[in-house]
Amino acid sequence: MLAEIQEEEVRAMVGSDVWLSCIYPKGNSFDLNDLYVYWQISVPGKRNTNSVVTYYLSGNSSAGHGDNHYKGRARLSLDGMKQGNFSLHLHNVTPQDEQKFNCLVFRKSLELEKILEVTVTLNVAANYSMPVVSGPSQDEEFIFTCTSTNGYPRPNVYWINKTDNSLLDTTLQNSTVSLNARGLYNVVSVLRIGRSTVDVGCCIENVLLHQNLTSGQTVLVTHFTDEGVRLRKVM
């Protein structure tokens, strides 16, 4: 008997719970003493090496855990497995959970023949904070700084001319995207433009969430007086 092979893709937000589906499609009921169930992931940088997330072995009263990163967060349902539902419940999703998870089910009575194999690709996302623009500092040019924090995955950063919503030349900006202690991304982007009347905004794009966050409007009006340039900011 050939194993049923399935592939799925799931998206989850950081901090949420998610079910990774692994269901035997023929509606059979199972004896737990006849089952060997494994959920595993590939080990980064080690070809053909897997790390066990959680498992159930024939005769056990509960599931075990292999990878300490998933201890207390990965759970199988014994009642569900009796009905052919070998899905993994993953608690408190982290950025490090962005993996391909493999579900493997074997039957002891069939000489450990594999009856089900499912690969679930988990994509992880987190909302960036609303970008905040500060500045400008007064120098030979106007300098604006945009900050946004605690997002995932890595974002795209744009500066726009809010008068006509056109993109400003990327050579005018210098963006730094770094991972923080939570495994999420922080963004700092600096825009340098010549002195003029300008209306700019900073946009943070999260491609996975199809989300664009744009800073509140910053209007800078230049007034030329006998004493030089005077700035007025209108939010």
Side-chain angles (χ1 to χ4, degrees):
M1 181 175 65
L2 294 176
E4 295 282 347
I5 300 177
Q6 306 170 24
E7 291 191 16
E8 296 189 10
E9 192 164 338
V10 178
R11 187 181 74 193
M13 301 297 288
V14 170
S16 70
D17 294 357
V18 65
W19 281 97
L20 305 184
S21 180
C22 181
I23 299 174
Y24 193 71
K26 298 179 181 178
N28 296 40
S29 58
F30 292 89
D31 179 357
L32 292 181
N33 290 320
D34 191 34
L35 292 174
Y36 287 81
V37 181
Y38 298 89
W39 276 91
Q40 60 188 27
I41 56 175
S42 298
V43 177
K46 295 185 179 180
R47 190 176 180 182
N48 298 324
T49 302
N50 296 313
S51 175
V52 176
V53 173
T54 189
Y55 58 88
Y56 177 83
L57 304 180
S58 170
N60 284 13
S61 60
S62 62
H65 296 85
D67 191 322
N68 284 333
H69 179 65
Y70 294 99
K71 190 174 182 179
R73 295 200 302 122
R75 181 172 61 84
L76 297 172
S77 168
L78 298 184
D79 289 337
M81 289 193 292
K82 292 177 184 178
Q83 305 303 317
N85 187 345
F86 307 100
S87 300
L88 176 71
H89 181 247
L90 186 59
H91 173 66
N92 192 22
V93 170
T94 73
Q96 292 73 33
D97 295 331
E98 189 162 82
Q99 302 265 4
K100 284 185 181 292
F101 290 77
N102 296 309
C103 170
L104 304 171
V105 182
F106 304 85
R107 288 190 66 178
K108 182 179 178 181
S109 62
L110 299 177
E111 297 182 346
L112 293 181
E113 181 177 345
K114 183 167 60 178
I115 62 169
L116 180 62
E117 179 177 351
V118 178
T119 298
V120 181
T121 301
L122 177 59
N123 296 312
V124 176
N127 290 310
Y128 282 89
S129 65
M130 186 63 69
V132 175
V133 174
S134 59
S137 61
Q138 297 188 46
D139 202 342
E140 297 289 329
E141 55 198 352
F142 289 156
I143 302 175
F144 299 89
T145 301
C146 172
T147 58
S148 181
T149 60
N150 292 323
Y152 198 89
R154 188 183 182 93
N156 294 320
V157 184
Y158 308 100
W159 285 88
I160 60 175
N161 181 341
K162 300 194 75 167
T163 302
D164 57 9
N165 286 325
S166 61
L167 294 177
L168 295 177
D169 190 337
T170 56
T171 61
L172 300 175
Q173 70 185 63
N174 182 15
S175 299
T176 302
V177 181
S178 58
L179 282 172
N180 61 28
R182 297 177 58 196
L184 303 176
Y185 286 103
N186 294 340
V187 182
V188 178
S189 183
V190 177
L191 175 72
R192 297 172 179 269
I193 55 177
R195 288 175 175 269
S196 63
T197 300
V198 64
D199 182 357
V200 299
C202 174
C203 180
I204 305 295
E205 181 187 22
N206 190 321
V207 175
L208 185 59
L209 295 179
H210 306 289
Q211 182 182 70
N212 287 285
L213 298 176
T214 303
S215 63
Q217 195 170 32
T218 302
V219 181
L220 287 162
V221 183
T222 58
H223 295 278
F224 294 90
T225 68
D226 293 338
E227 291 80 23
V229 177
R230 183 175 300 167
L231 300 178
R232 180 168 61 90
K233 180 188 291 187
V234 182
M235 301 300 292

